[in-house]
Amino acid sequence: HSNSIAMDPLSLLRECVVLKKPLPELRDNFIAFPEHNIQFPRDTQTSYQTSKGPYLTLDTVWFLLKNETIPYSEYMDKCTAESFGYVPVVHRRDLLQYMKGEKQTSSQVQSIPVFAGVPITSTSLPEPAETQPASDESMKPRLEEIQRSKEDFVRRLESSTAGSAAVTTVEKIPQFDGRMNQDKIAELKAKRAAKKRQTVRDVDQEDPAKQRDAAQKKKENLYVEVDAAVTASIRAKERLFFTRNSILCCQKKSFAGILRLLEKTAAATAAGPQGIKAERGAAAAKQPGSQIGHKRPHPQPAAAAAGPAAAATATTSFPPPAPAADFLSKSPIIMVPASLTALCTIYNARDFLERGEYAAPTEKKDGEFQGAHPDTVTVTHSRAAGHPVTFTVIDDPARLAPADWSRVVAVFVMGPAWQFKGWPWHEDPVQIFSHVRAYSLQWQLIDPHPNVLKWSVKILRLSRDHLHQGQSLMAEFWRDLFGWMEHRKLIPPSSS
């Protein structure tokens, strides 16, 4: 066997369980597989990743298999008493089914670089496969040689400063233990003395500046060699978990929607300006809503044209709200943030507001919408009396005409004031919230933006661990919104 063997420790452990072979042995800090003549450090990370992020170590999986029949509470006590990591209860059943072969794969098993184990006969950690740096024992003679060269250089420099010739003294050769005769020893001594007489020169006859430059260069070279030796020793103990190629393997990401969008854009561009207009018109025709979907410049107040004095006292005028009987003839509008960092966007608003099901905006964008951005989305909800009401969800205020702003009834707030750029009412959140009901969808246990706390905003708390409670949160939203609309006399009371 070589010094290192690349095998997947989790696969070897699963093979033992599936084939009903004895589990591997725990020897000191290694878990050994005698049948394969390979062992791994007990803290080697396996390819099984928990939902919170960390990968389970080899000894954690091994200890669970050793104690799979005992109750979980007793298993936790044994983990604490014997200093083993524990498998979270949410993953215990899935991991045991995968290890026993009851299921061929698991969503928690990820593709990571395989750690190279060592043969059972070896006691050192494996070295990288590409470069095998010299071990500490093999580097020892080289380090001693470097140290002797440094000491010799110091002696030369001191003798040069004193104005004397730098003559290297002949070191006394240690006597051998009798395995060589005295004639051979004398011959070796003579050869060494002759070689030194030929190589050692009088430094007084050389240029002192050149001597200093040579000494400095030699000193720097020695430091570089020592640093390279120490670096090689450190790299020999490193473990390779990721490479620049393996880290790009994203199993849960799909970029097919981006490719389709680029193909459509390239085809429209090749067709010229008429093709681009036709594509935009087709996209607008798919979205419901009366005259919503085309960007229009925000209208300037009439007082601004009359002069500065009139503009200082005038306010932006919009059509008054329609009577309750006519308000629902055109769908009311709900504004959402355009940023994907918000919890409620145009991508997941329909699922959340119609069925109470929450999904991350990025997942909905890459999945259902295939990377495309819709102009509008419709949401339908029935009131207590059973009458369905259809709302239009928009994330770009520039798509609204002046007459459309009277239909805006709700807005989901992130916190920064720049969200209201392009809004009427002087883009002032205080004035906006006196005309529009404001909501903020937030995670539990996370503080909202400071502006959300000081504005008139209703906060809806969503739990990361109980996403199924989104239906009750949805019901709370509609109950509050319909109550606000009845109070503003935008819709008739539910009892009528």
Side-chain angles (χ1 to χ4, degrees):
H1 293 272
S2 61
N3 291 335
S4 62
I5 306 174
M7 290 188 179
D8 182 14
L10 188 65
S11 298
L12 292 178
L13 191 58
R14 185 171 183 261
E15 177 184 339
C16 294
V17 179
V18 173
L19 299 181
K20 301 186 182 304
K21 297 179 181 179
L23 290 178
E25 305 171 3
L26 179 61
R27 302 177 181 177
D28 296 332
N29 289 325
F30 289 83
I31 293 183
F33 296 83
E35 184 177 350
H36 298 277
N37 191 25
I38 189 174
Q39 59 185 356
F40 297 88
R42 60 180 293 177
D43 59 348
T44 301
Q45 287 189 353
T46 65
S47 56
Y48 194 95
Q49 185 181 22
T50 62
S51 57
K52 294 185 178 180
Y55 290 88
L56 296 180
T57 58
L58 182 58
D59 60 343
T60 300
V61 181
W62 176 84
F63 195 69
L64 174 66
L65 296 174
K66 295 280 288 187
N67 301 275
E68 61 172 314
T69 58
I70 64 177
Y72 189 78
S73 58
E74 185 178 346
Y75 160 73
M76 291 288 292
D77 295 338
K78 292 189 67 175
C79 289
T80 304
E82 302 184 27
S83 301
F84 280 91
Y86 67 91
V87 177
V89 64
V90 295
H91 297 298
R92 183 175 184 271
R93 181 178 180 183
D94 176 75
L95 178 59
L96 288 176
Q97 289 179 348
Y98 174 72
M99 296 302 294
K100 292 179 180 181
E102 297 176 3
K103 54 193 305 186
Q104 296 300 321
T105 183
S106 173
S107 59
Q108 305 301 126
V109 177
Q110 307 297 327
S111 297
I112 65 173
V114 177
F115 178 73
V118 296
I120 295 180
T121 55
S122 175
T123 58
S124 62
L125 288 175
E127 298 177 349
E130 298 180 359
T131 59
Q132 299 289 343
S135 62
D136 295 342
E137 294 296 331
S138 62
M139 291 299 300
K140 194 172 183 180
R142 180 60 179 159
L143 294 176
E144 293 177 354
E145 180 182 352
I146 294 174
Q147 183 65 25
R148 287 198 301 269
S149 299
K150 292 174 65 176
E151 295 175 355
D152 181 61
F153 168 73
V154 172
R155 288 196 300 271
R156 287 171 178 265
L157 194 60
E158 291 177 353
S159 61
S160 175
T161 305
S164 60
V167 180
T168 304
T169 59
V170 179
E171 297 180 0
K172 184 178 179 181
I173 300 178
Q175 298 295 329
F176 289 88
D177 56 357
R179 288 179 292 183
M180 297 181 64
N181 54 34
Q182 294 298 326
D183 295 338
K184 187 67 174 177
I185 296 175
E187 181 183 355
L188 293 175
K189 288 183 178 180
K191 287 183 178 180
R192 181 172 182 180
K195 186 176 181 180
K196 285 196 172 185
R197 284 194 296 270
Q198 295 175 0
T199 56
V200 176
R201 295 175 296 178
D202 190 354
V203 296
D204 289 338
Q205 298 178 359
E206 298 182 357
D207 186 1
K210 293 183 178 180
Q211 295 175 14
R212 289 192 297 270
D213 294 342
Q216 181 66 23
K217 185 175 181 181
K218 187 175 182 180
K219 182 179 179 181
E220 293 176 355
N221 292 337
L222 289 174
Y223 289 157
V224 171
E225 292 183 12
V226 172
D227 183 70
V230 175
T231 303
S233 177
I234 294 175
R235 289 179 62 87
K237 301 176 182 178
E238 292 181 349
R239 301 180 184 179
L240 181 64
F241 290 106
F242 296 100
T243 64
R244 63 178 182 177
N245 294 327
S246 64
I247 202 171
L248 295 177
C249 298
C250 303
Q251 297 181 350
K252 298 182 179 180
K253 285 288 184 179
S254 174
F255 302 98
I258 298 179
L259 297 177
R260 284 189 291 268
L261 181 61
L262 292 176
E263 292 175 355
K264 292 176 59 178
T265 304
T269 304
Q274 297 298 329
I276 297 177
K277 291 181 179 180
E279 181 184 358
R280 291 179 179 176
K286 294 180 181 179
Q287 303 298 334
S290 60
Q291 298 180 354
I292 297 176
H294 298 282
K295 291 189 176 182
R296 298 178 174 87
H298 186 69
Q300 298 295 331
T313 57
T315 59
T316 306
S317 60
F318 289 95
D326 300 333
F327 184 81
L328 297 180
S329 61
K330 295 182 179 180
S331 60
I333 298 174
I334 299 176
M335 302 295 294
V336 296
S339 174
L340 290 178
T341 58
L343 295 189
C344 184
T345 67
I346 198 170
Y347 296 104
N348 62 350
R350 178 184 296 151
D351 290 344
F352 179 69
L353 297 180
E354 283 190 351
R355 298 186 297 273
E357 299 175 357
Y358 180 81
T362 53
E363 295 180 3
K364 298 295 293 184
K365 178 182 178 181
D366 297 337
E368 178 181 347
F369 292 89
Q370 299 180 354
H373 182 276
D375 293 336
T376 61
V377 169
T378 58
V379 175
T380 302
H381 187 78
S382 298
R383 300 176 60 192
H387 303 291
V389 181
T390 301
F391 293 79
T392 301
V393 180
I394 303 177
D395 62 356
D396 186 1
R399 298 185 182 277
L400 297 180
D404 296 328
W405 283 103
S406 61
R407 295 160 47 202
V408 178
V409 295
V411 58
F412 278 86
V413 179
M414 291 180 59
W418 51 257
Q419 179 183 350
F420 302 100
K421 184 177 181 180
W423 282 59
W425 305 292
H426 303 291
E427 302 179 355
D428 182 10
V430 176
Q431 296 187 35
I432 292 173
F433 299 155
S434 64
H435 297 81
V436 179
R437 183 60 170 151
Y439 300 90
S440 179
L441 186 61
Q442 302 285 339
W443 291 117
Q444 285 186 356
L445 306 179
I446 296 182
D447 295 333
H449 194 279
N451 288 341
V452 175
L453 299 177
K454 68 180 183 180
W455 290 339
S456 177
V457 178
K458 181 175 179 59
I459 300 177
L460 305 174
R461 294 286 187 177
L462 184 63
S463 174
R464 293 179 183 267
D465 300 326
H466 302 86
L467 294 179
H468 60 277
Q469 296 180 356
Q471 294 184 355
S472 61
L473 206 61
M474 174 199 68
E476 180 183 354
F477 166 80
W478 289 117
R479 185 167 52 251
D480 181 84
L481 179 59
F482 281 130
W484 181 86
M485 295 172 67
E486 291 178 3
H487 178 73
R488 304 275 299 191
K489 297 182 179 180
L490 299 176
I491 56 175
S494 58
S495 59
S496 59

